[in-house]
Amino acid sequence: MTDRRSLLAAAIAAPAAFAPQARAAGSRGKSFRLSTPCVVSTWDFGIAANQAAFAVLEHGGSSLDAVEAGARVPEADPANHSVGRAGYPDRDGHVTLDASIMDHAGNCGAVAGIEHIAHPISVARRVMEKTPHVLLVGDGALQFAMEQGFPREELLTPESRAAWMEWRKDNHYQLAPNSEVLDYGRGAPVVAPTPGPPGSAGNHDTIGMLAIDAGGNLAGACTTSGMAWKLHGRVGDSPIIGAGLYVDGEVGAATSTGVGEEVIRNVGSFLVVELMRQGHSPAAACEAAVRRILKRKPDAAKTIQVGFLAINRRGEVGAFALQPGFNYALCDTAKRDRLLPAKSAS
């Protein structure tokens, strides 16, 4: 079995045949096209997630099944402290998870602030398929999940608990652009740290995943444990359809990562898809959405990170972020472990 470290090393190396195309696309901020079926996702842990998703796609599975399978990989990763069961808790020590899923026909489901369930993405799909609703939250989402047969588990791992206890010693909140860590306590000045290399803690964040199956159908998934040390009850963009995720089978799909509050304020993923509908390439649409945030908050590029990833129905892919450091993973029949840096506004 190929481990995550090997996949990441192969992705960073990238094949020589692909490198000129990737560099050209990135340097001009343009989109490039994947063969279908294909899957793309945010951050370096998207490489392993893409492997699971593509295993579904290459055997004729649906894009919806693929993104669910892919999203479950980081949800189950004990080393991932921003997604799933090992996520860092909120200020009060609760691990609360958010997720959404959407298909090409506009069917969607989501959960927010759910505790004790290791795979919120699968609960989100059950919301979509088994209820007349789109979003269930908190205790109601937990009740529904247990009624659907999901086991109740303790999600606060010893490592996450130790990090939370260490944080409590000083109890200052600070917004770190690439890790969604927000500090509400003493009002310390916001500092934008230099993003770490792929695989470092500074690059861990929400996973958003977009896929096209052999039938040309799109689907997307987004799952996260949200900001570390957040106020209890805080919900970001990931479970909000149109903010953290949006899919339109006639146009394309988009997902976001970073500080969810700014994505929600700009209905970011819906905006990206609508810009593609108007004729923008995925890369141009992502950039336009980021620059809209900057227009409203000119200092945002110095204080927070937001990134968008998009794919249109033809398989053209693009991404853009407020700050350097955002990367995204791609997988199609030609190459299954690519990792590319997104162009940024700064």
Side-chain angles (χ1 to χ4, degrees), residues 14-34:
F18 179 76
Q21 179 188 7
R23 286 195 295 269
S27 64
R28 297 193 303 270
K30 294 184 178 180
S31 303
F32 56 92
R33 189 168 183 171
L34 299 178

Side-chain angles (χ1 to χ4, degrees), residues 42-67:
T42 57
W43 301 107
D44 57 20
F45 48 69
I47 297 171
N50 285 356
Q51 296 287 310
F54 198 78
V56 174
L57 295 172
E58 68 178 343
H59 289 99
S62 71
S63 55
L64 188 66
D65 287 343
V67 295

Side-chain angles (χ1 to χ4, degrees), residues 304-327:
I304 64 172
Q305 175 70 305
V306 171
F308 292 102
L309 173 64
I311 188 169
N312 65 22
R313 61 179 301 184
R314 296 184 297 275
E316 294 172 338
V317 180
F320 198 84
L322 276 170
Q323 296 198 45
F326 172 44
N327 50 46

Side-chain angles (χ1 to χ4, degrees), residues 241-244 262-272 296 308:
I241 300 299
E262 292 309 315
V263 179
I264 292 171
R265 291 184 182 110
N266 292 275
V267 199
S269 291
F270 179 78
L271 172 60
V272 171
R296 293 182 175 180
F308 292 102

Side-chain angles (χ1 to χ4, degrees), residues 266 271 275 287-297:
N266 292 275
L271 172 60
L275 288 167
E287 180 173 356
V290 167
R291 295 200 181 281
R292 182 168 297 192
I293 294 172
L294 281 174
K295 183 177 180 181
R296 293 182 175 180
K297 292 191 173 181

Side-chain angles (χ1 to χ4, degrees), residues 25-275:
S27 64
R28 297 193 303 270
K30 294 184 178 180
S31 303
F32 56 92
R33 189 168 183 171
L34 299 178
S35 60
T36 55
C38 62
V39 58
V40 299
S41 58
T42 57
W43 301 107
D44 57 20
F45 48 69
I47 297 171
N50 285 356
Q51 296 287 310
F54 198 78
V56 174
L57 295 172
E58 68 178 343
H59 289 99
S62 71
S63 55
L64 188 66
D65 287 343
V67 295
E68 180 187 6
R72 287 173 63 95
V73 171
E75 283 183 341
D77 185 355
N80 191 322
H81 296 299
S82 61
V83 177
R85 63 179 308 116
Y88 285 144
D90 62 25
R91 183 182 63 172
D92 301 324
H94 300 273
V95 178
T96 61
L97 308 178
D98 306 327
S100 63
I101 195 166
M102 190 170 188
D103 70 12
H104 67 284
N107 300 306
C108 51
V111 292
I114 189 171
E115 297 185 53
H116 305 298
I117 301 296
H119 289 294
I121 195 63
S122 294
V123 184
R125 183 169 180 178
R126 295 289 181 89
V127 172
M128 179 182 78
E129 295 179 337
K130 302 294 185 180
T131 82
H133 309 306
V134 170
L135 176 64
L136 295 181
V137 304
D139 290 342
L142 174 59
Q143 177 184 351
F144 171 76
M146 294 177 66
E147 289 172 353
Q148 290 293 307
F150 291 89
R152 180 185 175 116
E153 303 177 43
E154 175 56 63
L155 301 185
L156 185 60
T157 64
E159 186 177 3
S160 293
R161 179 179 176 82
W164 173 60
M165 295 296 290
E166 183 65 25
W167 167 80
R168 290 182 65 190
K169 292 179 180 178
D170 293 326
N171 190 31
H172 26 115
Y173 279 120
Q174 185 171 309
L175 187 61
N178 286 324
S179 60
E180 280 199 321
V181 178
L182 181 61
D183 201 322
Y184 299 91
R186 300 177 181 173
V190 174
V191 177
T194 301
S200 69
N203 276 346
H204 283 189
D205 201 335
T206 304
I207 184 166
M209 174 174 281
L210 311 170
I212 304 176
D213 61 29
N217 294 320
L218 283 151
C222 191
T223 182
T224 187
S225 58
M227 289 181 173
W229 336 130
K230 62 197 175 189
L231 293 178
H232 185 60
R234 180 266 184 186
V235 174
D237 62 308
S238 297
I240 308 300
I241 300 299
L245 176 70
Y246 195 72
V247 180
D248 186 323
E250 296 181 347
V251 181
T255 189
S256 64
T257 186
V259 178
E261 281 74 4
E262 292 309 315
V263 179
I264 292 171
R265 291 184 182 110
N266 292 275
V267 199
S269 291
F270 179 78
L271 172 60
V272 171
V273 172
E274 287 304 294
L275 288 167

